[in-house]
Amino acid sequence: VPIHQNIGQAVARVDYQISNKQSIFARYINNTDHKADPHTLAPNNILNTGSVGIDDMFNSMVFGDTYIINANLVNSFRVFGNRVGANHYPSLVPSGVSYAGLGINAKPDGIDNYFNLIVSGGFTIDGANQTITQDHEDNFGLNNDVTWIHGAHQIAVGGSYFRGILIENSYAYAAGQFTFANLASFLQGSAQIFKESPPNPNYSRQNFLGLYIADTWKLTKRLTVNAGVRWDPYLPLQLINHDGLQFSPANFVSGVRSTVLPSSPPGIQLYGDQGFIGNSGIGSKLSHFAPRLGFAYDPFGDGKTAIRAGAGIAYDFVPQNIFQNLSSASPYRLSETVNGVSLANPWNNPATNGVNPFPYTYQAGVSTWPTVPYQNYIVMKPNIQTPEQYQWNLGIQRQVTSSLFVAATYIGSHMIHTWNGLELNPAVYIPGTCAAGQYGLTAAGACSTTSNTGQRRVLGLQNPNAPNGNTLGSIAEIDDGGTTSYNGLLTSATYRKGGLNIQGNYTWSHCLGLSTATFQSYAASYQHVPGQNGGPVNRNLDSGDCTGSPLGNGNSSIVDYRHVANATVVARTPKFSNDWARRIATGWTFSSIVTLRSGVHLSSSTGSDVALNGIFLASGTFPVPQRPSQVLPDLNSTSQGSSCSPGPCVNWLNPAAFALPATGTLGNMGVATIVGPGFWEWDQTISRQFRITESQHIEVRGEAFNVTNSERFGNPGVVYSSASTFGKITSSATGGGSLSGAERILQFALKYVF
């Protein structure tokens, strides 16, 4: 794929001293990123459409004023603004290579001249369609801080305000996307999945306000206390298009319908309906007062020992982009996913009654409820709470000798009201054999299959005669019931003497809780929640060691690395008295970094909807996947770490220790019960300066990442249905250095300083 990309950056700064009491400054930065659509560079190759063009610009500016009112009173004022303009556009397909040109009965909605087709194990045409975005993100605000020294007190008072505005258009699946299981299915024109939705706008704005007061009080020469409180009210996000959505299962059963759109199914609540809060469904939280208290104590009065402790409460804000998919459901927009369709006419299937619903446009007060069966929804929990965090710490530091310093700190935190998904309309597993016509079956057979998930959903079974009730598929409610806790012991030691500097640290920690969903997805939820029939109703069964990502591959900062150790050694050769020894050996600096950490915790996935409850995405990107059952006490391979076939791969897990649960049930495995390989790395630097004159010198430098060129394993495959990779390691771990990967990297530099 040809690439033509230009990235630029411009910066400017001004500092001005108005008087001996007042100074001002200004800062500005501009970043640009322009990347050509690769198909325009090689238009005769249709496979070049699998990428996107980029036209991005970022601007940021800040102005500050610091004024010394008197010797004990200082005022600091700042005002800032940021703007991101992003345009990621897909490759145009060649003329005639479109749905209409190929005789396919599918029409892109709101996006033309694009084609989206994925053949697993084969090729991709415009597979980057999902990355198409056009957005402007603006935020601006100000803050003012006053510091007053009064006797033994240092008092700080301040406040801040900023406003965020997001105007975003996402075109995920707007061109329609065919996914084929393999090349044979493509040649037969039999698609595994077809997805289509209109452009999905996320137009929102939000205000953020904070006020605080804090006092650092030196009670005695040996004891200092810090206390303060911050007011962090939550001012709810406002949806500019008024396209928020809520759902009440109780209203669905009792038949209560929206007054704004009477043709909607029972239970739906829209902007303007009684009980719908604001235009986003979220109310203000004005009682967010966050106190904090801490102290520092010198127990012996010799300045060599310090005991510090602190505790506090904090409230988190919710990023605006979490609402990206909230407005993509009916009646505002449609999002259709159908399984087992023909390439020629994906809408010719019972799931959609043979109707192509696109293009689709909603007009408030005019439109009627779209009758496409079993649509997916993401709805907001009424009066949802925002995340709240409790933090505490205790640390001891000691200067043992003039050369040796040691420290140990305990850190703890507990978060409540973390956001995740709660499925309100799961499918119910119905055992046995049913006749044609029952539960949407076209022929006699098993009562429960993946093809009749919609007909088995719990709300439809509870109220089968509800008007437009058959348009309700997955209803994933953004829920605030998650919790996460962290406890860690951090130890460190530093030794400095002469030309030798040794530092080391070791952390033991444990992160535990429910995975937090930053982007909601349809049919994404925890498994053991109310309404599930495949296992006990206990959401804590989906809580476990922090995996950092849905399938536990560690691609996140929230990862439970139980043990982490780092050591650095910097040694400088002394100045030798012998002339030749001084010329050859004096002034060399040797720097070593050694990193070790234990493996990440992983969750296994069944790879399919074994429970047949509809809470499963083909890509597996949900907070906690359906998990297999553990049938042996030890999950590890008896030949763990040895090579396997077909290579290159390494045995890690024992597939015989796993089994799929019975159809319609959930497995007995917990979350993050698999531990991946540990990691270690040694990086080395050697450098020396050669003096030419008093003001000029030459520096030579050599660096090596992964000095020993050792193999470090990545994580094993954890999807049980992928037999060729399950339990096997097929990739190397990413290195710990800034440039390091699996291999050894050597780099050399020569610098002339004048």
Side-chain angles (χ1 to χ4, degrees), residues 692-733:
I692 300 175
T693 67
E694 190 67 26
S695 60
Q696 301 178 42
H697 68 265
I698 294 175
E699 180 180 346
V700 294
R701 186 179 186 89
E703 297 177 337
F705 299 94
N706 186 14
V707 174
T708 59
N709 202 27
S710 301
E711 177 63 62
R712 283 78 51 85
F713 299 143
N715 289 322
V718 293
V719 180
Y720 183 76
S721 60
S722 301
S724 61
T725 58
F726 179 69
K728 301 176 181 178
I729 296 173
T730 58
S731 63
S732 298

Side-chain angles (χ1 to χ4, degrees), residues 80-101:
F80 68 89
N82 302 287
R83 180 176 177 83
V84 175
N87 180 24
H88 294 187
Y89 53 94
S91 299
L92 289 167
V93 295
S95 177
V97 185
S98 62
Y99 292 137

Side-chain angles (χ1 to χ4, degrees), residues 80-82 137-142 160-166 204-209 235-236 238 240 320:
F80 68 89
N82 302 287
E137 303 169 23
D138 301 288
N139 62 75
F140 53 88
L142 54 88
S160 61
Y161 164 81
F162 81 88
R163 180 176 177 84
I165 302 174
L166 177 62
S204 59
R205 56 178 178 261
Q206 188 169 8
N207 295 317
F208 299 86
L209 176 67
L235 307 177
Q238 302 296 310
I240 298 174
Q320 289 172 258

